[in-house]
Amino acid sequence: KLKEKYSNYNYYVLSYHWDDREKLYKDYLLIQKIYESTLDSLSKKLNFQHSVNRKKSYWRILIGPWLGYFIQVLFDRWFMLDKALKEYKFDYININEFSKVDLVPNSMDEFKDYVVTDQWNEMIYFSILEFLNIENLKIINNKKFRFDDKVLSSSQSLKSTIKKLRNYFSQELGKSNKLFVKESYLSLSNFTKLSTSINQFPSYWESPALVDKKYNPKYRNFKLNINFEEKEVGTFIKLLELLIPKNIPKIYLEGYGDLIESNLNVKWPKNPKVIFTSVGFFFDDFFKAWIASKLDNGSKLVTGQHGGNYGILNWFFIEDHQYKISDYFLTWGWDKKNKNKLVKIGLFKFLPKAKTNNFLFNQKQKILLVQASIPRFSYHMYSSPVSQVQMERYLNDQFNFVECLPKNIRNK
């Protein structure tokens, strides 16, 4: 569709900087250093903003996933825009006129949806252009644009009713549990065995809905001072200092008081000895805030592997983050040197049996080659395809693989 749309225009496609895989890894190492310095500065600012005295480890759990994604995304967009301005001469740039406030997410979960949209990315590019303040570059604003709010269904399904009932009994019967398990990826039978082996009720917990707060400029009128000495990215550091206060999700600023109050009032165990999750440590802001507060009070965090990239990729931001926040990290069998938190367990992810009436599995003489897909926009860094060009190479690898198969297999 995009090729068809742009076929009537005289246009150039800029070469992508991360097609150079060595640069991609080098930039990842650099960005990880920037991330740590920024986390230092932002933790102190949030402590001051909210009149609290939380450790850096607390803020790493709560805001680390968003901060990591945001820095990686902003670096990519900044570098590419700077590259375009250096390689080509622009007389003017067309920008949709919109309210930036509409594009500030309420939570990390909302941010992951925004960051791969055209609208959010156009807003970020416009913010970078404003920051760069290029002389003699005319910016033309198009008609007013509004970012569509997500449409939430108010219908109650049987599944959601079951979840509510399960959560209610968990709160009543599991409030003194010493092992708190949420989104573990264990099967029902294995989770029940685990719970009964330590004489506790097998509880299933649901995080309460977050309050959707309004954007309030007074909460965002603060200046970050990121202590980072590498001069070649000095401009980018200044850009970060400007855009983080404007774009940080509202749950960490305007909604932080409500988040902590709901954490205090939730009917979950007050003093769990161990918290175990395989998923909830990244996108669930309510659960992350609860985890962080419990770890400050002496609880231990055990996290489990939940996907196949772990231990296989050369480097992977989510894996690095998970390792840093965990007391123990359960893997499906892989290990790495100098990683003493890793515990090799084997595949514990619940894999439901294939239904016998499933069309794909009924095709006994057929072979299914499952492919990956990625958004057009990079959204976090890991050693996999991160652009359309790399995705085309990936697909060509798949075609070459099939071509190398014996004909009797390839025909299936």
Side-chain angles (χ1 to χ4, degrees):
K1 286 185 178 180
L2 284 174
K3 284 184 178 180
E4 185 179 324
K5 177 181 178 181
Y6 291 119
S7 62
N8 296 322
Y9 295 94
N10 182 18
Y11 69 91
Y12 295 94
V13 178
L14 200 65
S15 62
Y16 188 48
H17 67 132
W18 282 339
D19 283 343
D20 181 342
R21 302 294 290 183
E22 288 185 10
K23 182 181 187 301
L24 175 65
Y25 181 54
K26 183 181 176 182
D27 284 350
Y28 176 70
L29 297 178
L30 172 64
I31 289 168
Q32 282 295 85
K33 291 180 183 177
I34 295 172
Y35 166 77
E36 291 297 335
S37 298
T38 307
L39 183 61
D40 277 335
S41 177
L42 188 54
S43 297
K44 292 170 185 174
K45 283 295 179 183
L46 291 174
N47 275 334
F48 179 79
Q49 287 282 101
H50 300 306
S51 301
V52 296
N53 188 27
R54 299 292 193 178
K55 300 174 187 175
K56 181 181 177 180
S57 57
Y58 171 95
W59 293 111
R60 184 188 300 279
I61 290 171
L62 182 56
I63 68 170
W66 172 80
L67 185 63
Y69 269 32
F70 186 76
I71 294 174
Q72 293 164 31
V73 166
L74 188 63
F75 186 92
D76 178 41
R77 311 311 190 256
W78 164 75
F79 192 95
M80 286 304 295
L81 184 57
D82 185 62
K83 178 178 166 72
L85 292 168
K86 285 176 179 175
E87 292 186 12
Y88 298 95
K89 184 181 183 302
F90 293 87
D91 297 317
Y92 65 90
I93 292 180
N94 263 316
I95 292 287
N96 281 314
E97 186 181 345
F98 48 73
S99 171
K100 293 179 184 176
V101 172
D102 292 338
L103 291 161
V104 175
N106 191 59
S107 63
M108 175 60 185
D109 194 46
E110 199 167 78
F111 174 76
K112 73 173 171 52
D113 295 332
Y114 283 18
V115 75
V116 292
T117 63
D118 291 341
Q119 298 94 332
W120 188 90
N121 280 279
E122 185 168 8
M123 180 274 291
I124 283 295
Y125 277 120
F126 183 47
S127 297
I128 298 169
L129 274 174
E130 286 184 315
F131 167 77
L132 293 175
N133 193 23
I134 307 297
E135 197 173 339
N136 299 323
L137 178 63
K138 185 177 181 182
I139 297 176
I140 299 174
N141 288 317
N142 293 330
K143 62 183 180 180
K144 183 76 173 178
F145 170 85
R146 178 171 175 82
F147 189 65
D148 292 332
D149 293 324
K150 283 192 277 187
V151 179
L152 301 176
S153 172
S154 59
S155 63
Q156 292 295 317
S157 65
L158 176 60
K159 196 172 183 180
S160 65
T161 303
I162 291 172
K163 280 186 176 182
K164 285 184 177 180
L165 286 171
R166 199 169 62 179
N167 189 53
Y168 170 79
F169 285 112
S170 295
Q171 290 177 350
E172 294 302 314
L173 301 173
K175 55 189 174 186
S176 61
N177 284 3
K178 292 302 179 184
L179 171 62
F180 183 93
V181 181
K182 188 176 189 298
E183 297 175 287
S184 66
Y185 271 27
L186 293 171
S187 67
L188 176 61
S189 60
N190 283 338
F191 177 51
T192 303
K193 288 176 185 176
L194 172 64
S195 300
T196 54
S197 71
I198 56 173
N199 300 316
Q200 73 175 35
F201 181 76
S203 303
Y204 293 84
W205 312 94
E206 296 292 327
S207 295
L210 298 174
V211 176
D212 196 353
K213 301 294 286 189
K214 287 186 177 180
Y215 185 99
N216 190 334
K218 79 173 186 178
Y219 280 94
R220 297 169 181 272
N221 189 26
F222 64 90
K223 178 76 166 61
L224 278 181
N225 294 295
I226 301 170
N227 184 21
F228 198 78
E229 296 179 355
E230 297 190 32
K231 294 181 181 179
E232 69 268 22
V233 288
T235 302
F236 177 68
I237 297 299
K238 290 178 181 177
L239 178 65
L240 260 185
E241 291 174 339
L242 175 70
L243 293 190
I244 284 176
K246 293 181 178 180
N247 290 280
I248 187 170
K250 291 175 282 186
I251 199 67
Y252 308 140
L253 282 178
E254 293 91 341
Y256 182 75
D258 292 312
L259 177 64
I260 298 309
E261 185 178 353
S262 60
N263 259 229
L264 292 172
N265 294 331
V266 72
K267 293 180 179 179
W268 289 5
K270 298 297 181 186
N271 299 297
K273 189 174 181 180
V274 176
I275 301 166
F276 173 49
T277 183
S278 295
V279 186
F281 63 86
F282 209 80
F283 293 113
D284 187 341
D285 285 319
F286 178 89
F287 187 32
K288 287 189 294 178
W290 187 84
I291 291 172
S293 65
K294 297 306 173 187
L295 296 194
D296 275 356
N297 291 331
S299 299
K300 300 294 184 184
L301 177 62
V302 178
T303 64
Q305 179 176 345
H306 71 273
N309 280 329
Y310 286 85
I312 296 173
L313 298 180
N314 288 333
W315 50 273
F316 182 22
F317 170 68
I318 299 177
E319 180 186 313
D320 290 343
H321 171 77
Q322 185 173 343
Y323 184 83
K324 287 175 182 176
I325 66 171
S326 302
D327 291 289
Y328 294 98
F329 183 160
L330 310 185
T331 79
W332 292 355
W334 57 273
D335 203 348
K336 290 182 178 178
K337 291 181 179 179
N338 304 318
K339 297 280 188 178
N340 56 5
K341 296 178 184 178
L342 299 178
V343 181
K344 295 184 286 184
I345 296 293
L347 180 62
F348 55 83
K349 181 177 179 178
F350 173 56
L351 299 173
K353 291 181 180 179
K355 295 179 180 178
T356 54
N357 63 345
N358 186 298
F359 171 77
L360 288 173
F361 289 96
N362 273 341
Q363 310 305 303
K364 294 180 181 180
Q365 298 303 313
K366 300 293 183 183
I367 297 172
L368 178 67
L369 181 61
V370 180
Q371 303 299 294
S373 64
I374 59 171
R376 283 191 296 116
F377 301 100
S378 73
Y379 60 106
H380 74 94
M381 297 180 74
Y382 58 133
S383 54
S384 281
V386 289
S387 73
Q388 185 172 340
V389 172
Q390 291 170 30
M391 198 63 191
E392 288 174 2
R393 291 175 190 158
Y394 162 80
L395 288 173
N396 284 332
D397 283 344
Q398 311 308 304
F399 296 138
N400 290 335
F401 169 75
V402 173
E403 286 297 316
C404 290
L405 292 172
K407 187 175 180 180
N408 64 318
I409 295 177
R410 193 163 68 245
N411 290 340
K412 298 177 184 180

